[in-house]
Amino acid sequence: MFEAEGSRFAGATATPPVSTVPLERSRSRRWVIVASLFLFMLINFADKAVLGLVAVPMMHDMQLTHAQFGLVGSAFFVLFSLSGIAVGLFADRVSMKWLLAALALTWTCAQLPLAWPSSFAVLLLCRILLGAGEGPASPLALHVVYTWFDDRERNLPTTIVQQGATAGVIVAGPLLTYISQRWHWHATFLTLGVVGAAWTVLWLCVGKTGHRARSVPSLAAAANGQARLRYRTLLSDRTVIGVMLQCFVGYAVIAVGFTWVPAYFRLGLGFPATQAGWLFAAQVATQIPVGIALALFSHRQLKRGVPSRRARGALISTACVASGLAYCVLFLGVPPYVKVALMGLASALAIQTFTFGPMLVAEVAPSGQRGALLAITNSITTTAGLIGPFAMGKLLGAAGDSHAYETGFAVTGALLLAVGVAGFALLDPQRSRRRLDALQ
């Protein structure tokens, strides 16, 4: 929005005000960017979801045990966090256009080898490579969005981009299940590889970052030449700690969901493959109205002058508590369709940690360190992906029945209750901002 701002002010004394056309073009351009990043996240999460959707035929054809398949699910996260941190540390110094294109191209390279019969070792390596390419994706996509919108405008575009993740699973559920049954599960990986390559071409045509700073205090800090803060200082902030706790458990929900929930619907609840695919998509679709409703409520609260400690922090903490309660109810032996509905509500609320968490971190972070801090916090919290799928696989291998799934979900619910309660005490970005400003 501010590409030509410097030249416009420089010539203000010699020429009349310029046309508003560049401003209008910039406003239109930022929504093109949001739409492109929505597709980016859609592909990102379809890539994640495919493993769970083809779990049963893949385990049968490759003769994998539950523990081995759980290891494959966790392998995705071996380099996920390390890649996120490594890329995040120089994210503010390189072109986001080329960086996001490189990530999407990596996804393509990781999917295509699985389009043909492969060994267990190749399967592991491809999932590790995919994780390395997807580790920095979400925080960097949001970083690009934040360069086009100021803090008070970020709720809607953040929600749209994050809903790309939901849409990816909704599309992947029935579509990839159909492709797997119509042709073969290998065809699902070929499809995703081609789609990733197509998005890379699209982004190279339209991709661009904006130039908005985080807030007026950050602009003042830059003007006064204030020093960058140590990342140890930023990561030890109470708000950042609260975000990481909630997002850690939230990502455990995501990782276990992608790896095991479709199999739970088939093997645990007895639904046929096609119906399980649609139910999985319907469950994930719950995240759209829930996410939009929470984002609009938070936006209205902020417009009324409610501090983000309440409009964002208390709201997402309440969502975590409600999600935890819903997961715990699964352990009570309710009917199958009720379990599907409860899991839909629980996961929809838990995943909102990745909508509100980055906004809270962005409020706290100095603008020059925002991209790196978003990537680092995301990388730390997504280490939950290393633990969740493998732990569930070991639990299933030991118990071998649907009750083991529900035990795992109940443990997740208890953790959500804990981090939700902690969030009420920890999440206060205004207090954090005052503290960090005093250290600069």
Side-chain angles (χ1 to χ4, degrees), residues 155 238-240 242-243 246 294 297-299 301-302 306-321 349 352-353 355-361 363-364 416 419-432:
N155 275 38
R238 291 177 63 174
T239 296
V240 175
V243 167
Q246 292 185 348
L294 291 180
F297 179 78
S298 174
H299 179 68
Q301 292 286 95
L302 291 170
V306 175
S308 61
R309 174 177 61 85
R310 290 167 51 195
R312 288 173 177 165
L315 184 61
I316 190 57
S317 297
T318 301
C320 287
V321 170
L349 291 170
Q352 301 311 315
T353 56
T355 296
F356 287 87
M359 289 190 287
L360 290 164
V361 171
E363 283 191 70
V364 171
L416 281 163
V419 298
V421 172
F424 288 108
L426 295 174
L427 299 178
D428 189 345
Q430 286 76 35
R431 179 182 58 188
S432 296

Side-chain angles (χ1 to χ4, degrees), residues 77-104:
F77 299 95
V78 168
L79 295 179
F80 190 91
S81 298
L82 293 176
S83 172
I85 293 173
V87 174
L89 287 175
F90 62 83
D92 295 304
R93 300 176 175 87
V94 299
S95 167
M96 288 294 104
K97 176 176 181 176
W98 292 101
L99 187 53
L100 292 185
L103 293 180

Side-chain angles (χ1 to χ4, degrees), residues 33-49:
I33 298 298
V34 169
S36 301
L37 294 174
F38 169 88
L39 294 175
F40 179 74
M41 294 303 297
L42 185 152
I43 299 167
N44 181 299
F45 273 71
D47 286 344
K48 291 183 176 74

Side-chain angles (χ1 to χ4, degrees), residues 206-376:
V206 304
K208 188 177 183 181
T209 54
H211 300 286
R212 280 191 181 270
R214 188 199 73 235
S215 62
V216 172
S218 294
L219 291 173
N224 294 331
Q226 291 180 344
R228 291 164 63 91
L229 292 169
R230 294 181 178 181
Y231 285 104
R232 181 175 61 185
T233 301
L234 293 170
L235 291 171
S236 62
D237 175 75
R238 291 177 63 174
T239 296
V240 175
I241 290 172
V243 167
M244 289 193 292
L245 286 173
Q246 292 185 348
C247 288
F248 183 88
V249 181
Y251 208 82
V253 171
I254 294 172
V256 171
F258 284 144
T259 307
W260 288 113
V261 167
Y264 170 57
F265 286 171
R266 289 190 63 179
L267 304 179
L269 299 183
F271 294 110
T274 302
Q275 189 176 5
W278 279 104
L279 286 173
F280 182 59
Q283 173 197 285
V284 175
T286 308
Q287 296 167 13
I288 294 179
V290 170
I292 292 174
L294 291 180
L296 288 175
F297 179 78
S298 174
H299 179 68
R300 289 173 182 169
Q301 292 286 95
L302 291 170
K303 286 187 69 175
R304 290 172 51 196
V306 175
S308 61
R309 174 177 61 85
R310 290 167 51 195
R312 288 173 177 165
L315 184 61
I316 190 57
S317 297
T318 301
C320 287
V321 170
S323 175
L325 290 173
Y327 271 124
C328 289
V329 172
L330 291 174
F331 201 66
L332 301 180
V334 293
Y337 281 106
V338 176
K339 290 180 180 180
V340 172
L342 284 170
M343 290 182 68
L345 176 62
S347 62
L349 291 170
I351 202 173
Q352 301 311 315
T353 56
F354 282 87
T355 296
F356 287 87
M359 289 190 287
L360 290 164
V361 171
E363 283 191 70
V364 171
S367 59
Q369 296 175 269
R370 183 178 57 220
L373 187 60
L374 285 169
I376 292 169

